[in-house]
Amino acid sequence: MIIVKKDEEIELMKKSCYIAAVALFKAGEAIKPGVTTQHINKIAEAYITSKGAIPSFLNYGGFPASVCISINNEVVHGIPSSNRVLQEGDIVSVDVGAFLNGFHSDNAATFAVGRISKDLEHLLDVTQNSLMLGIKAAVVGARVGAISHAVQTCVESEGLYVVKDYVGHGVGRNLHEGPEVPNFGNPEHGARLVSGMTLAIEPMVNIGTEEVQTQSNGTVVTKDGSYSAHFEHTIALTEDGPQILTLC
Ligand code: MG
């Protein structure tokens, strides 16, 4: 179900979104060779709880940690571990949500660990750019498909692949609300975008294939082992255009 928010509800969401954005920033600052993914998880968790918020992903669908941390060929839902040590040349995706005042927030970014290859720089640049183009397309009166189409066009024009099995979503009192926001599709399809909608737009982009599979622990990986990136913002639709809420 699509739940349109009142202005005062969006003001409340801005607070949880700010916390998630700062937590993601702090996680990113801590990323370097030799650090474990559990260390990164704890940094984000400590910040979120210090602000009186709750990590949105903790216990969500049984997820055992506060943030999702996915390395290299892992697409999403990676579980932080004290046994996973970041290596020079890795890429690491961190997905952070925070719940405060009755509202969730959701944002993600993929970070380089030390120096990375040109191909991986390209992957990160294109994925982030596709997110920004998707956001730009989120204008009142257009359809959800306009976002999807903008993301897909950007990614495929660069010779990369969008993941189709996982999609963006509405976000608010629930972490996942309608509408689904696929990263592929026809600009004339999907729900009409109206002021007050709050969406998590989140392209997941692979180098070698769109196909993914899920490991027994729930981590989603690329089928061919190629690397994957993920960038996400929570935005609010307004008559003046899309507003990114997960900024710090
Ligand atoms: Mg999300």
Side-chain angles (χ1 to χ4, degrees):
M1 192 169 79
I2 299 173
I3 302 166
V4 173
K5 281 77 179 177
K6 300 186 184 79
D7 288 350
E8 54 266 35
E9 291 176 313
I10 289 176
E11 288 307 310
L12 288 176
M13 275 191 74
K14 282 180 183 170
K15 295 189 170 67
S16 71
C17 284
Y18 177 76
I19 291 167
V22 174
L24 179 60
F25 179 79
K26 286 181 177 290
E29 274 189 327
I31 286 171
K32 60 183 180 185
V35 165
T36 69
T37 55
Q38 178 65 293
H39 178 71
I40 306 298
N41 174 61
K42 288 294 172 192
I43 285 172
E45 178 183 272
Y47 178 75
I48 292 168
T49 55
S50 79
K51 295 296 166 187
I54 297 168
S56 291
F57 303 159
L58 184 60
N59 299 321
Y60 184 84
F63 191 76
S66 293
V67 305
C68 301
I69 305 184
S70 308
I71 304 173
N72 295 340
N73 63 313
E74 297 171 348
V75 180
V76 286
H77 305 164
I79 300 170
S81 164
S82 50
N83 296 323
R84 298 293 302 276
V85 181
L86 300 178
Q87 312 282 339
E88 177 93 19
D90 285 345
I91 55 171
V92 57
S93 300
V94 181
D95 197 347
V96 184
F99 179 78
L100 182 75
N101 297 324
F103 287 94
H104 288 282
S105 53
D106 200 355
N107 70 167
T110 302
F111 301 95
V113 183
R115 286 179 64 90
I116 58 172
S117 69
K118 284 269 178 280
D119 283 354
L120 292 179
E121 279 179 9
H122 181 243
L123 173 68
L124 268 52
D125 288 347
V126 170
T127 308
Q128 186 165 30
N129 196 27
S130 74
L131 169 61
M132 299 318 292
L133 291 170
I135 291 170
K136 210 173 158 190
V139 294
V140 169
R143 292 189 182 273
V144 169
I147 302 169
S148 311
H149 183 73
V151 171
Q152 181 178 24
T153 302
C154 171
V155 170
E156 293 182 351
S157 71
E158 293 289 336
L160 300 172
Y161 299 84
V162 292
V163 172
K164 295 179 174 165
D165 289 0
Y166 296 86
V167 297
H169 50 92
V171 54
R173 291 195 183 277
N174 303 296
L175 181 58
H176 294 104
E177 298 177 352
E180 289 195 339
V181 186
N183 295 304
F184 61 96
N186 185 317
E188 302 303 325
H189 289 177
R192 187 75 70 184
L193 299 175
V194 300
S195 184
M197 283 169 89
T198 46
L199 304 175
I201 302 178
E202 51 175 324
M204 289 149 265
V205 176
N206 302 343
I207 288 183
T209 177
E210 68 178 55
E211 290 189 70
V212 298
Q213 56 195 16
T214 306
Q215 295 178 328
S216 56
N217 66 358
T219 305
V220 178
V221 298
T222 60
K223 214 160 190 176
D224 65 352
S226 67
Y227 284 18
S228 185
H230 180 206
F231 284 84
E232 176 179 30
H233 274 306
T234 296
I235 68 166
L237 305 197
T238 78
E239 295 293 348
D240 299 328
Q243 185 180 10
I244 300 176
L245 303 183
T246 41
L247 285 180
C248 62

